[in-house]
Amino acid sequence: MAEIREPTLNPKYDNYTYPITNPTTGSGHPGHTTPEQDALVSKMREELENEGHTERLDTINLLRFLRARKFDVILAKQMYTESETWRKDFKVDDIVKNFLYTEKPKVFEFYPQYYHKTDKDGRPVYIEQLGKIDLTAMYKITTMERMLQNLVLEYERLADPRLPACSRKSGKLLETCCTIMDLKGVGVTSISSVYGFVKQVTAISQNYYPERLGKLYIINSPWGFSGAFSVVRKFLDPVTVDKINILGGSYQAELLKQIPAENLPTQFGGTCSCSGGCELSDDGPWQDPAFLHHPTPTPTEAPVALGDAA
């Protein structure tokens, strides 16, 4: 295991209150950067400041954009600025402060998508059941705009409080989640009706919230899916491909290697059965006051117990 270098922090932006290193993450992650990569972070921040940007310039956030663009500062800056423009246009700050998804229980009858507890690495587990999507029924309850607003709200809550709380509990920096995508019930006839919605969801995830995927388990994949994916994977980054596991109907043993049985809902082979339903519980360390916003540590405390950054 490579030695962890103490991250180069910027006191103006890096006011973290959770761990800022993880011994298992690779090159380009906090604690695993080279002096050259540290210099690129400083260069990107300075150029963005000169262009008038003041938000989300902390080191961990900038490293996410740089990793997503292979440490090409020009491309990473473009990605960052496009994200900031989108945030203003979509009124993300207003959504975080004011949005209430009161129709969630009814919408989830047709499209369950939720965070639920953690995997064995301490990361939040995110579950989507695409086979249940019925847009016709959902649009009688809600609108496309409100569904996307809820998606954005949940991404913001992943950044804070979910990941910081999980990092505090695990004692290491966690920046990604473990995703289960259930394709049970997805057929050729349903693909076209949900394609537009899924395309928008995917674009928001890839373009504005980079480097959030830790592991992806695609379960109950229909016949022919693996073959089709083998063609697609040729165009994907090898780092991304390594995170994806395509499983059929006999997926439980593989899921349980990554997720404790007590954290996995019974319908997926685990033993968890939350009161009121796992899909509505939002259970996890982010619900425990012991792992919510801690004060900034003093210099005498352990250096890994640093941070809160969006």
Side-chain angles (χ1 to χ4, degrees), residues 77-292:
K77 272 183 58 185
Q78 180 182 351
M79 187 182 196
Y80 170 93
T81 55
E82 289 175 353
S83 175
E84 289 298 300
T85 298
W86 167 81
R87 291 181 68 91
K88 292 182 176 64
D89 292 344
F90 204 75
K91 298 180 174 59
V92 173
D93 290 343
D94 289 341
I95 291 172
V96 172
K97 293 177 182 177
N98 303 315
F99 182 76
L100 295 175
Y101 203 41
T102 54
E103 65 269 39
K104 179 188 285 190
K106 291 183 178 179
V107 172
F108 274 28
E109 293 178 16
F110 304 103
Y111 183 21
Q113 46 176 160
Y114 56 99
Y115 290 91
H116 180 266
K117 299 189 175 180
T118 57
D119 68 2
K120 291 182 179 180
D121 293 316
R123 293 176 294 211
V125 174
Y126 176 69
I127 300 171
E128 281 197 18
Q129 293 176 260
L130 290 171
K132 289 191 174 184
I133 291 182
D134 184 338
L135 289 180
T136 301
M138 289 162 65
Y139 289 157
K140 294 178 181 178
I141 302 167
T142 190
T143 64
M144 169 77 80
E145 181 181 18
R146 285 184 60 78
M147 289 167 62
L148 292 176
Q149 287 173 332
N150 178 65
L151 172 80
V152 168
L153 177 63
E154 293 303 329
Y155 268 121
E156 291 295 308
R157 287 176 173 171
L158 175 64
D160 187 12
R162 291 189 180 103
L163 286 170
C166 290
S167 297
R168 294 184 188 103
K169 182 174 182 179
S170 66
K172 59 190 176 185
L173 175 65
L174 296 171
E175 300 182 77
T176 62
C177 55
C178 176
T179 297
I180 300 171
M181 190 169 291
D182 184 9
L183 300 187
K184 185 177 182 179
V186 172
V188 175
T189 57
S190 63
I191 292 177
S192 60
S193 65
V194 303
Y195 176 75
F197 173 70
V198 173
K199 184 178 180 181
Q200 289 192 64
V201 168
T202 302
I204 288 174
S205 170
Q206 292 181 344
N207 297 335
Y208 310 131
Y209 297 97
E211 294 286 300
R212 286 306 192 197
L213 177 64
K215 285 185 178 291
L216 170 60
Y217 294 89
I218 300 176
I219 64 173
N220 288 314
S221 57
W223 181 86
F225 184 87
S226 295
F229 181 76
S230 67
V231 176
V232 175
R233 69 186 299 160
K234 297 176 183 178
F235 303 97
L236 296 176
D237 188 298
V239 176
T240 300
V241 171
D242 288 343
K243 299 175 181 179
I244 301 174
N245 301 272
I246 300 176
L247 309 173
S250 301
Y251 57 81
Q252 289 87 353
E254 283 300 311
L255 279 188
L256 289 170
K257 289 179 182 178
Q258 184 64 33
I259 304 171
E262 62 271 20
N263 289 1
L264 187 66
T266 54
Q267 64 179 311
F268 300 117
T271 60
C272 186
S273 182
C274 296
S275 177
C278 291
E279 66 273 15
L280 295 174
S281 71
D282 194 28
D283 194 13
W286 51 90
Q287 299 289 0
D288 188 337
F291 302 116
L292 295 181

Side-chain angles (χ1 to χ4, degrees), residues 6-17 20 30 33 38-49 53-63 296 306-309:
E6 184 66 21
T8 301
L9 300 180
N10 183 296
K12 183 177 179 180
Y13 298 104
D14 297 335
N15 301 306
Y16 302 112
T17 61
I20 58 170
T33 56
D38 292 340
L40 292 176
V41 173
S42 297
K43 175 180 173 61
M44 179 174 172
R45 180 186 290 119
E46 181 179 359
E47 292 182 5
L48 289 171
E49 284 184 317
H53 294 282
T54 59
E55 301 292 329
R56 288 164 287 278
L57 294 179
D58 63 279
T59 298
I60 291 176
N61 192 52
L62 293 185
L63 278 172
T296 303
L306 297 177
D308 244 4

